[in-house]
Each structure stands twice: as structure tokens, then as C-alpha cells.
Amino acid sequence: MPTPSTILITGGAGFIGSHTCVELLDHGYSLVAVDDYSNSSPQVYSRVQRIADRCLSAVYRLDLRNTRAVSDVLHHHSVDAVVHFAGKKAVGESMRKPIEYYDTNIGGTTSLLRAMDEHGVHQMVFSSSCSVYGETDKAPLSEQDPARPTNPYAASKWACEQILADVCRLRPEFRVLSLRYFNPVGAHPSGLLGESPRGGEVNLMPRLAQVADGERKSVTVYGDDYATPDGTGVRDYIHVMDVAEAHRVALEHLDDAPGMRVFNLGVGEGTSVLELLAVFGETCGRDIPYTVEDRRPGDVSELVADPREVAHEWGWRPTRDLAAMCRDAWRFRQLNPLGYAD
Ligand SMILES: NC(=O)c1ccc[n+]([C@@H]2O[C@H](COP(=O)([O-])OP(=O)(O)OC[C@H]3O[C@@H](n4cnc5c(N)ncnc54)[C@H](O)[C@@H]3O)[C@@H](O)[C@H]2O)c1
Ligand SMILES: O=c1ccn([C@@H]2O[C@H](COP(=O)(O)OP(=O)(O)O[C@H]3O[C@H](CO)[C@H](O)[C@H](O)[C@H]3O)[C@@H](O)[C@H]2O)c(=O)[nH]1
């Protein structure tokens, strides 16, 4: 995609969205961001702009399911492509609130597609998830492996992928790259941006940081009876700046081929809960107490990427290691103990 191009970012104030805003501003893109701030804060944009030393073209508060509101945004800005992050992302919460997850994630995506089509915008990079692979004893996982979602969150992402693939098949002007992220963690090295969830369920890395600085007494490890080397869940952690970079590279490859294509976004290395806990403890020089409880409903034992397809197609691979992920997440926590308090 030639720069400067104008990109609509949905969920731009979120964890991955905000880091991607920095990466795209740094590379000359003009950005229009929309978010309902259900899991983020508008304050994040001033930090994005401070890091990038450039402004976003516009920022809107809206719920993606409001097609009219999205359409109004596309009416006012000549957008070349959409990077679609907005959605709900917590596996455990999705087991308790399945309707909310299907409505937000699938309804938000179809609403966005309608508004895009109305304004002749047909290119999208979509945030999918490795959770679509579900419970499997295969590691690493390639894009050709079957999807077997085990919770409504994963099922909603799989449904979106199927909808997007079908739209691309029936309407060849559409081009979609669906990126199945494994576990994005870490933070911007400046310490200005990071993972700052508003209540609800907290992912493992921000939870480790909460315990390290004493906000919580211990980490609950969800199960130590999985068929993994130490019995705890294994994931493929990838630095959020690598994920942001991958979106910039993806935008350059949207036109490579017709239809929808799916890519894994992971490092290709599995890390257990206890291993991550140990590396995080070493990084911050503190003990991280933990207790073991039952498995979290909807969780799977192990998800590790085969990352070769992205490397082969785009000549790109993640470069930041687990120590950098922990170091940056800890720096963000130390500099922002209250997150983006507003
Ligand atoms: N973080 C992960 O581990 C991970 C892994 C795989 C996939 N993903 C996917 O990547 C995307 C971004 O994840 P994240 O970690 O940045 O999450 P996040 O919650 O930090 O960001 C999502 C953003 O979308 C916004 N949003 C939610 N519902 C909305 C709606 N109806 N209308 C407008 N805005 C809405 C939230 O306020 C938030 O700012 C999500 O789609 C998520 O499912 C995340
Ligand atoms: O307090 C916690 C939090 C998590 N875990 C464990 O740590 C691992 C990682 O859990 P996270 O909640 O950090 O991440 P998930 O893998 O459950 O989910 C995240 O990555 C997925 C892809 O794996 C999804 O896409 C989803 O959006 C995103 O939240 C899992 O084994 C989980 O059981 C704990 O033991 N204790």
C-alpha cells in the first residue's frame, strides 16, 4: 500500500491498537481511530501522539455496531483500508457472557463491513486469534490446521473469519488479511503505552505486574494438571511491538493476492505459566507468589505457532524475546501503576 495512505483503526485506543497507531504514524500513514472505550481510555491518544510526534487525523467515540455512526466517519474521511481491532477478548468472560461476545465481535464486524462497502472501502486487516485452533495436541500449529473453538470468544473470531472469507469469495473487490495472534504481551519501550484493562478479566502478563508491585498478593495459576511439561498452560508470547510492526507490513501486502488469507502471528516458542512467572520475577527482581486453582473454563492446554508462513510471504519475523516482553511490561507498570487513570 503506497504511503501516505489513510487507515481507519477500530479499537485504536486498545492495547494492540494503540501500539499499532504509533508504528503506522511513524511510517507516514494518516490515521482515523474509532473506539467505544469499553476497555480503554481516550487518554491513550495523547501518549501515542507524544511518542510518534505526529497527530492522528481524527478520533471518534462510537460503538462499531452503530453502522450509521461508522458510515458517517467513512463519509468524512477518504479511507484506503481498515485495521479492525475492536472487540471483546477475554476467554473466561466469554463463557459467562456468550451473547455479548457474539454480538460485539460478529455484529461489530458485519456492521463495519456494511459501512465499508457503502463507501467503497474493501481492504481490511482483521484481528483473529490462535484460540480458533482450540484444544489440540499438535504443536506448532500451522494455518492449515483445523479450527475447533472451545469458547464463545474463539467461536466469534472463527465466525468472523468465515464471514470475511465468504464476503471475499462472493465480492472479489474485497481483500482481507486475517492475522491469528498468539499471545501479544509487553509494552512500548518508552513506558508510555501498555496493557491497561478496565476491570474485568486480566491477562497473565498484566496480572504478574500487579502482583510484582504489590497491588495483589498472588497470581492464581489456572490449573497445573495439563499435559504440558510442568502441567500449566503453554502459550506463544509475542511482543506487542512486533505485532504492531506486523500490521504495518500486512498493509503493504493487502494487494498481493485476491480473497482472504490467514496468517499466524507468533514467535514459535511455547512458554508455560510458571516459566513466564519465573522470567518476570527475574526481570523485576521480586518474588511472584502464586496459588494453583482449577482450570479456567474454556481454556486449552497449549497453543504455539508455526510462524513460517508470514516469514516466507512477507520476509518478516518477530525479533523481541521474552525478557524484552517482561522488561517492557514491568516498566509500563512501574511508570503507570494506575494505568491510564482518567
Ligand atoms: N491481546 C490478546 O492477547 C489478543 C490475542 C488474539 C487476538 N486479539 C484480538 O485483537 C484485538 C485487540 O486486542 P487488544 O488486546 O488490543 O484488546 P483491547 O480490549 O485492549 O482493545 C480492543 C478495543 O476495542 C474497543 N471496543 C470493544 N468493543 C467495541 C465496540 N463495540 N465498538 C468500538 N470499540 C470497541 C475497546 O474499548 C478496546 O479499546 C481484539 O479483537 C482481540 O480479540 C487479542
Ligand atoms: O491470572 C491468570 C491469567 C492467565 N493464566 C493462564 O495463563 C495463560 C495465558 O492466559 P491469558 O489470559 O493471558 O491469555 P489467553 O491465552 O487466555 O488469551 C489471550 O490470548 C488468546 C490467544 O491465545 C486470545 O486471543 C485472547 O484474546 C487473549 O486474551 C493461560 O494458560 C491461562 O490459563 C493464569 O494461570 N492466571
Side-chain angles (χ1 to χ4, degrees):
M1 172 159 302
T3 49
S5 303
T6 302
I7 308 296
L8 174 69
I9 310 260
T10 77
F15 172 47
I16 306 172
S18 57
H19 290 78
T20 304
C21 284
V22 170
E23 173 73 12
L24 296 184
L25 286 173
D26 278 348
H27 285 80
Y29 286 88
S30 300
L31 303 183
V32 176
V34 300
D35 204 298
D36 68 356
Y37 307 122
S38 53
N39 195 37
S40 55
S41 159
Q43 286 206 359
V44 82
Y45 294 122
S46 57
R47 296 178 177 219
V48 164
Q49 293 173 164
R50 205 167 124 199
I51 299 170
D53 200 19
R54 279 189 63 212
C55 288
L56 283 91
S57 303
V59 163
Y60 296 91
R61 174 180 218 134
L62 58 80
D63 187 321
L64 218 53
R65 290 165 293 186
N66 182 345
T67 310
R68 171 59 63 85
V70 183
S71 182
D72 280 351
V73 171
L74 290 173
H75 178 74
H76 284 102
H77 301 274
S78 178
V79 163
D80 299 296
V82 177
V83 181
H84 176 29
F85 294 108
K88 301 188 73 63
K89 65 164 177 175
V91 168
E93 185 184 54
S94 81
M95 298 291 282
R96 299 187 297 277
K97 300 178 179 172
I99 299 170
E100 209 172 311
Y101 269 70
Y102 288 123
D103 190 39
T104 304
N105 291 357
I106 302 174
T109 300
T110 53
S111 170
L112 173 63
L113 282 171
R114 280 173 56 198
M116 285 171 60
D117 196 32
E118 204 180 304
H119 294 276
V121 181
H122 294 119
Q123 302 208 330
M124 179 195 284
V125 179
F126 174 66
S127 296
S128 188
S129 162
C130 65
S131 60
V132 301
Y133 294 112
E135 189 58 64
T136 164
D137 49 18
K138 184 167 178 284
L141 290 156
S142 85
E143 290 83 350
Q144 284 69 46
D145 285 315
R148 294 194 191 97
T150 59
N151 56 71
Y153 165 70
S156 73
K157 289 292 179 185
W158 175 231
C160 286
E161 280 200 7
Q162 291 173 290
I163 290 165
L164 290 166
D166 209 36
V167 167
C168 287
R169 186 175 62 82
L170 297 168
R171 297 280 309 281
E173 63 273 43
F174 275 90
R175 295 270 197 285
V176 176
L177 290 178
S178 182
L179 306 184
R180 292 179 176 167
Y181 318 150
F182 279 66
N183 282 56
V185 294
H188 191 271
S190 64
L192 286 169
L193 293 180
E195 196 165 2
S196 180
R198 294 173 85 94
E201 206 166 286
V202 176
N203 288 119
L204 180 59
M205 183 73 99
R207 179 66 88 214
L208 293 174
Q210 288 174 346
V211 173
D213 84 354
E215 184 191 317
R216 294 178 75 97
K217 278 207 176 72
S218 67
V219 177
T220 304
V221 174
Y222 297 132
D224 65 355
D225 58 349
Y226 286 107
T228 60
D230 65 18
T232 66
V234 167
R235 296 290 184 274
D236 182 345
Y237 296 94
I238 176 169
H239 198 292
V240 66
M241 288 309 299
D242 278 325
V243 174
E245 213 176 276
H247 285 78
R248 195 244 311 152
V249 176
L251 286 170
E252 292 162 12
H253 289 272
L254 261 168
D255 260 337
D256 284 359
M260 176 168 114
R261 285 169 306 142
V262 175
F263 291 102
N264 284 342
L265 222 53
V267 169
E269 285 166 23
T271 304
S272 74
V273 174
L274 293 181
E275 283 169 341
L276 188 66
L277 197 143
V279 177
F280 197 92
E282 259 169 51
T283 302
C284 65
R286 302 188 185 185
D287 266 351
I288 315 268
Y290 67 90
T291 57
V292 178
E293 290 189 13
D294 288 346
R295 294 180 179 194
R296 189 171 59 178
D299 260 357
V300 298
S301 55
E302 179 167 1
L303 291 167
V304 178
D306 178 340
R308 285 177 297 179
E309 192 70 17
V310 154
H312 174 72
E313 289 279 328
W314 303 346
W316 176 89
R317 61 184 77 238
T319 55
R320 295 152 177 100
D321 64 11
L322 205 59
M325 298 177 213
C326 292
R327 197 170 53 239
D328 291 336
W330 178 231
R331 183 184 301 113
F332 177 73
R333 175 70 197 187
Q334 284 184 296
L335 294 176
N336 309 271
L338 302 177
Y340 304 119
D342 46 12

